[in-house]
Amino acid sequence: MEYFQAEKIVEECEEAAQKEFKKIQAVALKNQAKVLRAFRENRIAAMHFQGSTGYGYDDIGRDTLNKLFANVFGSEAAIVSPLIANGTHAISLVLYGLLKRGDGMLSISGKAYDTLDEVICGKDNGSLVDIGVNYKQIELTDDGDFRWEEIRTALLREKPKVVYVQRSKGYLWRDAFSVERIGEAAKFVKEIYPDVLVVVDNCYGEFVQEREPTEVGADVCVGSLIKNPGGGIAPTGGYICGTQACIDSIAKRLTAPSLGLEVGSYLPGYLPFYEGLFLAPSTVKNALLGSVLAGYVFEKIGFETMPKTGSMPYDIIKSIRFRTPEQLISFCQKIQRVSPVDSYVVPEAWDMPGYPHPVIMAAGTFVQGASLELSADGTVREPYVAYLQGGLTYEHCKLALTEILCDLA
Ligand SMILES: *Cc1c(COP(=O)(O)O)cnc(C)c1O
Protein backbone atom coordinates (compact mmCIF):
# COMPACT_ATOMS: atom_id res chain seq x y z
CA MET A 1 0.00 0.00 0.00
CA GLU A 2 1.20 3.54 -0.74
CA TYR A 3 2.14 5.79 2.17
CA PHE A 4 -0.71 8.25 1.57
CA GLN A 5 -3.22 5.38 1.62
CA ALA A 6 -1.83 4.09 4.90
CA GLU A 7 -1.96 7.60 6.33
CA LYS A 8 -5.61 7.85 5.44
CA ILE A 9 -6.46 4.54 7.12
CA VAL A 10 -4.58 5.51 10.27
CA GLU A 11 -6.47 8.84 10.36
CA GLU A 12 -9.76 6.97 10.09
CA CYS A 13 -8.73 4.62 12.89
CA GLU A 14 -7.81 7.62 15.01
CA GLU A 15 -11.30 9.07 14.48
CA ALA A 16 -12.89 5.76 15.43
CA ALA A 17 -10.83 5.62 18.65
CA GLN A 18 -11.86 9.02 20.00
CA LYS A 19 -14.12 7.63 22.73
CA GLU A 20 -11.31 5.56 24.24
CA PHE A 21 -8.83 8.41 23.72
CA LYS A 22 -10.99 10.80 25.79
CA LYS A 23 -11.18 8.35 28.67
CA ILE A 24 -7.43 7.71 28.59
CA GLN A 25 -6.76 11.46 28.65
CA ALA A 26 -9.09 11.89 31.64
CA VAL A 27 -7.24 9.18 33.58
CA ALA A 28 -3.90 10.80 32.75
CA LEU A 29 -5.11 14.12 34.13
CA LYS A 30 -6.14 12.48 37.41
CA ASN A 31 -2.82 10.66 37.69
CA GLN A 32 -0.81 13.76 36.85
CA ALA A 33 -2.67 15.60 39.64
CA LYS A 34 -1.94 12.75 42.05
CA VAL A 35 1.77 12.75 41.21
CA LEU A 36 2.04 16.54 41.36
CA ARG A 37 0.33 16.58 44.76
CA ALA A 38 2.86 14.05 46.09
CA PHE A 39 5.77 16.15 44.80
CA ARG A 40 4.41 19.25 46.52
CA GLU A 41 3.58 17.48 49.79
CA ASN A 42 7.08 16.01 49.95
CA ARG A 43 8.59 19.44 49.18
CA ILE A 44 10.79 18.04 46.42
CA ALA A 45 13.79 20.25 45.72
CA ALA A 46 17.13 20.11 43.89
CA MET A 47 18.88 18.57 46.91
CA HIS A 48 16.86 15.38 46.42
CA PHE A 49 18.44 14.80 43.03
CA GLN A 50 22.00 14.57 44.43
CA GLY A 51 23.82 11.26 44.42
CA SER A 52 25.69 9.66 47.30
CA THR A 53 28.63 7.31 47.72
CA GLY A 54 29.77 4.41 49.87
CA TYR A 55 27.27 3.27 52.48
CA GLY A 56 24.88 6.04 51.52
CA TYR A 57 23.86 6.84 55.10
CA ASP A 58 21.22 9.58 55.26
CA ASP A 59 20.87 9.63 51.49
CA ILE A 60 17.97 12.07 51.36
CA GLY A 61 17.37 11.56 47.64
CA ARG A 62 16.88 7.83 48.14
CA ASP A 63 14.77 8.15 51.30
CA THR A 64 12.50 10.84 49.84
CA LEU A 65 12.02 8.90 46.59
CA ASN A 66 10.73 6.01 48.70
CA LYS A 67 8.24 8.32 50.42
CA LEU A 68 7.16 9.86 47.13
CA PHE A 69 6.32 6.49 45.59
CA ALA A 70 4.49 5.43 48.75
CA ASN A 71 2.34 8.57 48.52
CA VAL A 72 1.56 8.07 44.84
CA PHE A 73 0.71 4.39 45.29
CA GLY A 74 -1.32 5.01 48.45
CA SER A 75 0.85 2.67 50.49
CA GLU A 76 2.49 3.05 53.91
CA ALA A 77 6.03 2.58 52.62
CA ALA A 78 8.06 1.87 49.52
CA ILE A 79 11.44 0.80 48.22
CA VAL A 80 12.53 2.47 44.99
CA SER A 81 16.02 1.69 43.91
CA PRO A 82 18.43 1.71 40.98
CA LEU A 83 20.07 -1.23 42.79
CA ILE A 84 17.12 -3.40 41.81
CA ALA A 85 18.19 -4.78 38.43
CA ASN A 86 14.76 -5.23 36.83
CA GLY A 87 11.18 -6.34 37.41
CA THR A 88 12.10 -9.98 37.97
CA HIS A 89 14.60 -8.97 40.64
CA ALA A 90 12.01 -6.73 42.33
CA ILE A 91 9.41 -9.51 42.39
CA SER A 92 12.02 -11.99 43.69
CA LEU A 93 12.93 -9.60 46.52
CA VAL A 94 9.28 -9.39 47.52
CA LEU A 95 8.78 -13.15 47.52
CA TYR A 96 12.05 -13.99 49.31
CA GLY A 97 11.39 -11.16 51.76
CA LEU A 98 7.95 -12.43 52.72
CA LEU A 99 8.24 -16.22 52.41
CA LYS A 100 10.23 -18.51 54.69
CA ARG A 101 10.70 -22.29 54.80
CA GLY A 102 7.32 -24.00 55.23
CA ASP A 103 5.27 -20.96 54.15
CA GLY A 104 2.76 -21.28 51.34
CA MET A 105 2.38 -19.18 48.20
CA LEU A 106 -0.79 -19.42 46.13
CA SER A 107 -0.84 -17.84 42.67
CA ILE A 108 -4.47 -17.18 41.72
CA SER A 109 -3.64 -15.89 38.22
CA GLY A 110 -2.12 -19.13 36.92
CA LYS A 111 1.51 -19.43 36.00
CA ALA A 112 3.55 -16.32 36.75
CA TYR A 113 5.55 -14.39 34.15
CA ASP A 114 8.10 -16.58 32.33
CA THR A 115 11.21 -15.16 34.02
CA LEU A 116 9.77 -16.21 37.40
CA ASP A 117 9.61 -19.93 36.53
CA GLU A 118 13.14 -20.52 37.82
CA VAL A 119 12.63 -18.16 40.75
CA ILE A 120 9.61 -20.04 42.02
CA CYS A 121 10.08 -23.64 40.92
CA GLY A 122 13.71 -24.06 39.78
CA LYS A 123 15.57 -27.19 40.89
CA ASP A 124 18.75 -26.95 43.02
CA ASN A 125 19.11 -23.26 42.33
CA GLY A 126 17.87 -21.74 45.57
CA SER A 127 14.37 -21.17 44.14
CA LEU A 128 11.46 -20.68 46.51
CA VAL A 129 10.42 -24.31 46.18
CA ASP A 130 14.04 -25.34 46.66
CA ILE A 131 14.24 -23.51 50.01
CA GLY A 132 11.04 -25.15 51.21
CA VAL A 133 8.23 -22.83 50.17
CA ASN A 134 5.04 -24.64 49.35
CA TYR A 135 3.87 -23.29 45.97
CA LYS A 136 0.46 -23.81 44.38
CA GLN A 137 -1.24 -22.14 41.46
CA ILE A 138 -4.79 -21.93 40.22
CA GLU A 139 -5.29 -21.50 36.51
CA LEU A 140 -7.51 -18.77 35.15
CA THR A 141 -10.78 -19.53 33.38
CA ASP A 142 -10.71 -19.70 29.58
CA ASP A 143 -11.72 -16.06 29.39
CA GLY A 144 -8.96 -15.05 31.77
CA ASP A 145 -10.89 -14.56 35.00
CA PHE A 146 -10.25 -15.86 38.52
CA ARG A 147 -11.71 -19.26 39.48
CA TRP A 148 -13.31 -18.05 42.68
CA GLU A 149 -14.57 -21.38 44.01
CA GLU A 150 -11.25 -23.14 43.40
CA ILE A 151 -9.47 -20.29 45.12
CA ARG A 152 -11.76 -20.63 48.13
CA THR A 153 -11.23 -24.39 48.28
CA ALA A 154 -7.45 -24.03 48.02
CA LEU A 155 -7.38 -21.37 50.73
CA LEU A 156 -9.50 -23.43 53.10
CA ARG A 157 -7.49 -26.59 52.48
CA GLU A 158 -4.23 -24.90 53.35
CA LYS A 159 -3.64 -21.36 54.53
CA PRO A 160 -0.87 -19.69 52.49
CA LYS A 161 1.26 -16.78 53.63
CA VAL A 162 1.09 -15.02 50.25
CA VAL A 163 -1.57 -14.88 47.57
CA TYR A 164 -0.03 -13.75 44.30
CA VAL A 165 -1.72 -11.96 41.41
CA GLN A 166 -0.21 -10.91 38.10
CA ARG A 167 -2.04 -7.86 36.78
CA SER A 168 -0.73 -7.84 33.24
CA LYS A 169 -1.12 -10.61 30.66
CA GLY A 170 2.50 -11.69 30.33
CA TYR A 171 2.83 -14.14 27.46
CA LEU A 172 -0.78 -15.28 27.64
CA TRP A 173 -3.72 -14.53 25.40
CA ARG A 174 -5.84 -12.82 28.02
CA ASP A 175 -6.77 -9.33 29.08
CA ALA A 176 -5.04 -7.70 32.03
CA PHE A 177 -6.94 -7.44 35.31
CA SER A 178 -8.57 -4.16 36.16
CA VAL A 179 -7.64 -2.62 39.49
CA GLU A 180 -11.27 -3.13 40.54
CA ARG A 181 -11.00 -6.86 39.84
CA ILE A 182 -7.79 -7.06 41.83
CA GLY A 183 -9.57 -5.24 44.66
CA GLU A 184 -12.33 -7.86 44.56
CA ALA A 185 -9.72 -10.63 44.72
CA ALA A 186 -7.99 -8.99 47.70
CA LYS A 187 -11.34 -8.64 49.48
CA PHE A 188 -12.24 -12.24 48.70
CA VAL A 189 -8.98 -13.50 50.20
CA LYS A 190 -9.11 -11.18 53.23
CA GLU A 191 -12.67 -12.25 54.06
CA ILE A 192 -11.37 -15.76 54.54
CA TYR A 193 -8.00 -14.83 56.13
CA PRO A 194 -7.49 -11.15 56.99
CA ASP A 195 -3.76 -11.73 57.54
CA VAL A 196 -2.87 -13.46 54.27
CA LEU A 197 -0.67 -11.10 52.23
CA VAL A 198 -1.86 -10.16 48.77
CA VAL A 199 1.06 -9.43 46.43
CA VAL A 200 0.50 -7.97 42.96
CA ASP A 201 2.94 -8.04 40.05
CA ASN A 202 2.00 -4.58 38.79
CA CYS A 203 4.26 -4.53 35.71
CA TYR A 204 2.77 -2.55 32.78
CA GLY A 205 -0.26 -1.52 34.85
CA GLU A 206 0.98 1.61 36.61
CA PHE A 207 -1.03 4.77 35.80
CA VAL A 208 -3.29 2.96 33.36
CA GLN A 209 -6.19 3.52 35.75
CA GLU A 210 -6.79 6.09 38.47
CA ARG A 211 -5.86 3.78 41.32
CA GLU A 212 -3.13 1.24 41.98
CA PRO A 213 -3.56 -2.23 43.58
CA THR A 214 -2.26 -0.95 46.94
CA GLU A 215 -5.20 1.49 46.99
CA VAL A 216 -7.75 -1.32 46.75
CA GLY A 217 -6.50 -3.80 49.34
CA ALA A 218 -3.27 -5.35 48.05
CA ASP A 219 -0.51 -5.49 50.68
CA VAL A 220 2.29 -5.12 48.15
CA CYS A 221 2.60 -4.09 44.52
CA VAL A 222 5.82 -4.29 42.59
CA GLY A 223 7.24 -3.43 39.20
CA SER A 224 10.03 -2.21 36.97
CA LEU A 225 11.27 1.35 36.51
CA ILE A 226 12.07 0.77 32.85
CA LYS A 227 8.36 0.24 32.34
CA ASN A 228 5.50 2.63 33.23
CA PRO A 229 6.57 4.36 36.48
CA GLY A 230 10.00 5.33 35.15
CA GLY A 231 8.27 7.57 32.62
CA GLY A 232 10.75 6.55 29.91
CA ILE A 233 13.48 8.46 31.77
CA ALA A 234 14.63 6.18 34.60
CA PRO A 235 17.71 4.32 33.35
CA THR A 236 17.22 1.18 35.50
CA GLY A 237 15.65 -0.01 38.75
CA GLY A 238 12.53 -1.35 40.38
CA TYR A 239 9.98 -0.31 42.98
CA ILE A 240 8.05 -2.07 45.71
CA CYS A 241 5.14 -0.37 47.50
CA GLY A 242 3.35 -1.88 50.47
CA THR A 243 2.48 -1.96 54.11
CA GLN A 244 5.21 -0.92 56.55
CA ALA A 245 5.49 -4.48 57.88
CA CYS A 246 5.94 -5.99 54.41
CA ILE A 247 8.40 -3.31 53.29
CA ASP A 248 10.44 -3.87 56.50
CA SER A 249 10.76 -7.59 55.75
CA ILE A 250 11.60 -7.00 52.09
CA ALA A 251 14.17 -4.29 52.94
CA LYS A 252 16.13 -6.87 54.94
CA ARG A 253 16.36 -8.92 51.77
CA LEU A 254 17.29 -5.95 49.60
CA THR A 255 20.43 -5.35 51.66
CA ALA A 256 20.98 -7.40 54.83
CA PRO A 257 18.91 -8.15 57.96
CA SER A 258 21.03 -5.72 59.98
CA LEU A 259 20.86 -2.94 57.40
CA GLY A 260 17.45 -2.63 55.75
CA LEU A 261 16.97 0.74 54.07
CA GLU A 262 19.75 2.49 55.99
CA VAL A 263 22.29 1.89 53.25
CA GLY A 264 22.56 2.01 49.48
CA SER A 265 24.22 4.75 47.49
CA TYR A 266 23.99 5.87 43.88
CA LEU A 267 26.56 8.35 42.66
CA PRO A 268 24.82 9.56 39.47
CA GLY A 269 21.92 10.93 41.54
CA TYR A 270 18.18 10.50 41.42
CA LEU A 271 17.09 13.14 38.92
CA PRO A 272 15.87 10.68 36.24
CA PHE A 273 13.80 8.76 38.81
CA TYR A 274 12.02 11.87 40.05
CA GLU A 275 11.59 13.32 36.61
CA GLY A 276 10.49 9.94 35.25
CA LEU A 277 7.80 9.55 37.90
CA PHE A 278 6.57 13.05 37.15
CA LEU A 279 6.36 12.29 33.41
CA ALA A 280 4.94 8.78 33.84
CA PRO A 281 1.19 9.60 33.74
CA SER A 282 1.68 11.43 30.46
CA THR A 283 4.06 8.91 28.90
CA VAL A 284 1.75 6.05 29.87
CA LYS A 285 -1.09 8.00 28.24
CA ASN A 286 0.92 8.28 25.00
CA ALA A 287 1.64 4.55 25.05
CA LEU A 288 -2.04 3.78 25.70
CA LEU A 289 -3.21 5.99 22.85
CA GLY A 290 -0.71 4.23 20.59
CA SER A 291 -1.87 0.85 21.81
CA VAL A 292 -5.54 1.61 21.17
CA LEU A 293 -4.71 2.98 17.72
CA ALA A 294 -2.73 -0.19 16.94
CA GLY A 295 -5.80 -2.24 17.85
CA TYR A 296 -7.95 -0.38 15.32
CA VAL A 297 -5.30 -0.58 12.60
CA PHE A 298 -4.63 -4.30 12.98
CA GLU A 299 -8.29 -5.24 13.27
CA LYS A 300 -8.95 -3.24 10.13
CA ILE A 301 -6.51 -5.44 8.17
CA GLY A 302 -7.95 -8.63 9.59
CA PHE A 303 -5.86 -9.58 12.61
CA GLU A 304 -7.26 -10.46 16.00
CA THR A 305 -6.12 -8.22 18.86
CA MET A 306 -6.46 -8.24 22.63
CA PRO A 307 -7.92 -6.25 24.30
CA LYS A 308 -10.44 -5.83 21.49
CA THR A 309 -11.15 -2.37 20.12
CA GLY A 310 -13.92 -0.63 21.98
CA SER A 311 -12.89 -1.98 25.38
CA MET A 312 -10.66 -0.01 27.75
CA PRO A 313 -7.12 -1.28 28.24
CA TYR A 314 -5.96 -2.35 31.72
CA ASP A 315 -2.27 -2.43 30.81
CA ILE A 316 -0.20 -0.88 28.02
CA ILE A 317 0.13 -4.07 25.97
CA LYS A 318 -1.69 -4.80 22.76
CA SER A 319 -1.54 -8.44 21.76
CA ILE A 320 -1.74 -9.11 18.03
CA ARG A 321 -2.27 -12.63 16.79
CA PHE A 322 -0.45 -13.47 13.58
CA ARG A 323 -1.06 -16.55 11.49
CA THR A 324 2.52 -17.65 10.84
CA PRO A 325 5.87 -17.39 12.64
CA GLU A 326 7.16 -15.40 9.64
CA GLN A 327 4.51 -12.72 10.13
CA LEU A 328 5.36 -12.44 13.83
CA ILE A 329 9.09 -12.14 13.15
CA SER A 330 8.59 -9.69 10.30
CA PHE A 331 6.33 -7.50 12.48
CA CYS A 332 8.95 -7.31 15.23
CA GLN A 333 11.63 -6.50 12.67
CA LYS A 334 9.47 -3.64 11.34
CA ILE A 335 8.95 -2.19 14.80
CA GLN A 336 12.73 -2.17 15.15
CA ARG A 337 13.09 -0.40 11.81
CA VAL A 338 10.84 2.48 12.87
CA SER A 339 12.71 3.03 16.14
CA PRO A 340 14.87 6.07 16.97
CA VAL A 341 17.82 3.91 18.14
CA ASP A 342 19.32 0.89 16.33
CA SER A 343 16.83 1.26 13.48
CA TYR A 344 19.32 -0.41 11.14
CA VAL A 345 19.65 -3.71 13.05
CA VAL A 346 17.45 -6.72 12.39
CA PRO A 347 16.30 -8.61 15.51
CA GLU A 348 16.27 -12.42 15.47
CA ALA A 349 14.60 -14.95 17.76
CA TRP A 350 17.02 -16.25 20.45
CA ASP A 351 17.10 -18.13 23.75
CA MET A 352 17.03 -15.21 26.18
CA PRO A 353 18.12 -15.76 29.80
CA GLY A 354 15.06 -16.63 31.87
CA TYR A 355 12.79 -17.50 28.95
CA PRO A 356 11.99 -21.14 28.11
CA HIS A 357 11.26 -20.61 24.37
CA PRO A 358 13.01 -18.60 21.64
CA VAL A 359 11.90 -15.01 21.97
CA ILE A 360 12.14 -12.21 19.44
CA MET A 361 12.33 -8.68 20.77
CA ALA A 362 12.27 -5.36 18.98
CA ALA A 363 13.58 -2.63 21.22
CA GLY A 364 15.16 0.29 19.43
CA THR A 365 15.18 2.10 22.72
CA PHE A 366 17.25 4.75 24.49
CA VAL A 367 17.28 2.63 27.66
CA GLN A 368 18.21 -0.97 26.84
CA GLY A 369 15.10 -3.16 26.82
CA ALA A 370 12.86 -0.39 28.14
CA SER A 371 9.35 -1.32 27.19
CA LEU A 372 7.60 1.96 27.91
CA GLU A 373 9.43 2.90 24.74
CA LEU A 374 7.86 1.55 21.56
CA SER A 375 8.76 -2.13 21.49
CA ALA A 376 7.41 -5.51 20.58
CA ASP A 377 8.16 -9.08 21.45
CA GLY A 378 6.80 -12.51 20.96
CA THR A 379 7.55 -16.12 21.73
CA VAL A 380 8.08 -18.06 18.55
CA ARG A 381 5.54 -20.80 19.23
CA GLU A 382 1.85 -21.11 18.54
CA PRO A 383 -0.32 -19.00 18.65
CA TYR A 384 2.29 -16.53 17.21
CA VAL A 385 1.25 -13.54 19.25
CA ALA A 386 3.20 -10.30 19.21
CA TYR A 387 3.01 -8.09 22.27
CA LEU A 388 3.23 -4.47 21.28
CA GLN A 389 3.82 -1.87 23.95
CA GLY A 390 5.07 1.56 24.72
CA GLY A 391 5.70 4.68 22.74
CA LEU A 392 7.23 7.69 24.45
CA THR A 393 5.22 9.90 22.14
CA TYR A 394 1.88 9.22 20.50
CA GLU A 395 3.20 10.72 17.26
CA HIS A 396 5.91 8.05 17.11
CA CYS A 397 3.30 5.32 17.50
CA LYS A 398 1.24 6.84 14.72
CA LEU A 399 4.17 7.14 12.32
CA ALA A 400 5.28 3.59 13.10
CA LEU A 401 1.81 2.17 12.48
CA THR A 402 1.54 4.02 9.19
CA GLU A 403 4.82 2.59 7.96
CA ILE A 404 3.97 -0.93 9.10
CA LEU A 405 0.63 -0.71 7.37
CA CYS A 406 2.37 0.18 4.09
CA ASP A 407 4.28 -3.09 4.27
CA LEU A 408 1.53 -5.35 5.57
CA ALA A 409 -1.44 -4.39 3.43
C1 LIG B 1 8.27 -7.36 32.43
C2 LIG B 1 7.51 -8.17 33.39
C3 LIG B 1 8.14 -8.82 34.44
C4 LIG B 1 9.64 -8.88 34.62
O1 LIG B 1 10.26 -7.71 34.43
P1 LIG B 1 11.77 -7.63 33.84
O2 LIG B 1 12.07 -6.21 34.10
O3 LIG B 1 11.70 -7.97 32.41
O4 LIG B 1 12.60 -8.56 34.63
C5 LIG B 1 7.35 -9.51 35.34
N1 LIG B 1 6.03 -9.58 35.19
C6 LIG B 1 5.38 -8.99 34.17
C7 LIG B 1 3.91 -9.12 34.05
C8 LIG B 1 6.11 -8.26 33.24
O5 LIG B 1 5.47 -7.67 32.24
Side-chain angles (χ1 to χ4, degrees), residues 86-88 91 113 115 166 168 201 203-204 224 227:
N86 58 18
T88 306
I91 297 166
Y113 191 72
T115 58
Q166 182 180 305
S168 178
D201 170 355
C203 282
Y204 287 131
S224 163
K227 294 180 181 173

Side-chain angles (χ1 to χ4, degrees), residues 71-264:
N71 282 169
V72 169
F73 284 75
S75 63
E76 290 172 6
I79 301 170
V80 187
S81 179
L83 308 180
I84 298 175
N86 58 18
T88 306
H89 185 199
I91 297 166
S92 294
L93 283 171
V94 169
L95 297 174
Y96 281 93
L98 299 178
L99 293 160
K100 305 284 170 293
R101 174 177 299 282
D103 287 340
M105 166 178 174
L106 178 68
S107 167
I108 61 170
S109 48
K111 192 178 92 60
Y113 191 72
D114 288 26
T115 58
L116 291 164
D117 289 357
E118 288 290 305
V119 175
I120 298 172
C121 293
K123 293 218 169 19
D124 297 326
N125 68 348
S127 72
L128 292 169
V129 167
D130 204 25
I131 64 165
V133 169
N134 183 1
Y135 174 75
K136 298 245 159 54
Q137 74 188 33
I138 296 178
E139 301 309 322
L140 295 170
T141 62
D142 289 340
D143 40 6
D145 205 353
F146 297 119
R147 288 186 199 267
W148 299 104
E149 278 319 305
E150 288 188 28
I151 295 170
R152 184 194 306 280
T153 308
L155 286 171
L156 292 175
R157 192 182 309 127
E158 200 175 357
K159 183 183 175 186
K161 172 101 180 276
V162 164
V163 164
Y164 183 83
V165 184
Q166 182 180 305
R167 178 170 172 183
S168 178
K169 53 186 74 72
Y171 291 96
L172 289 179
W173 186 261
R174 70 157 168 102
D175 203 352
F177 285 110
S178 68
V179 169
E180 292 71 34
R181 203 70 171 152
I182 289 172
E184 285 166 34
K187 188 155 169 271
F188 184 87
V189 171
K190 302 266 178 187
E191 266 167 13
I192 300 173
Y193 300 122
D195 58 336
V196 164
L197 302 172
V198 174
V199 169
V200 178
D201 170 355
N202 205 26
C203 282
Y204 287 131
E206 301 89 352
F207 301 121
V208 170
Q209 293 185 265
E210 286 171 30
R211 290 180 301 173
E212 298 299 331
T214 31
E215 296 174 270
V216 296
D219 294 272
V220 174
C221 75
V222 47
S224 163
L225 293 185
I226 63 166
K227 294 180 181 173
N228 305 14
I233 301 284
T236 185
Y239 78 92
I240 302 162
C241 292
T243 62
Q244 190 67 54
C246 287
I247 293 297
D248 286 346
S249 303
I250 297 161
K252 291 181 177 127
R253 259 286 159 177
L254 174 74
T255 58
S258 54
L259 303 174
L261 296 181
E262 301 291 324
V263 298

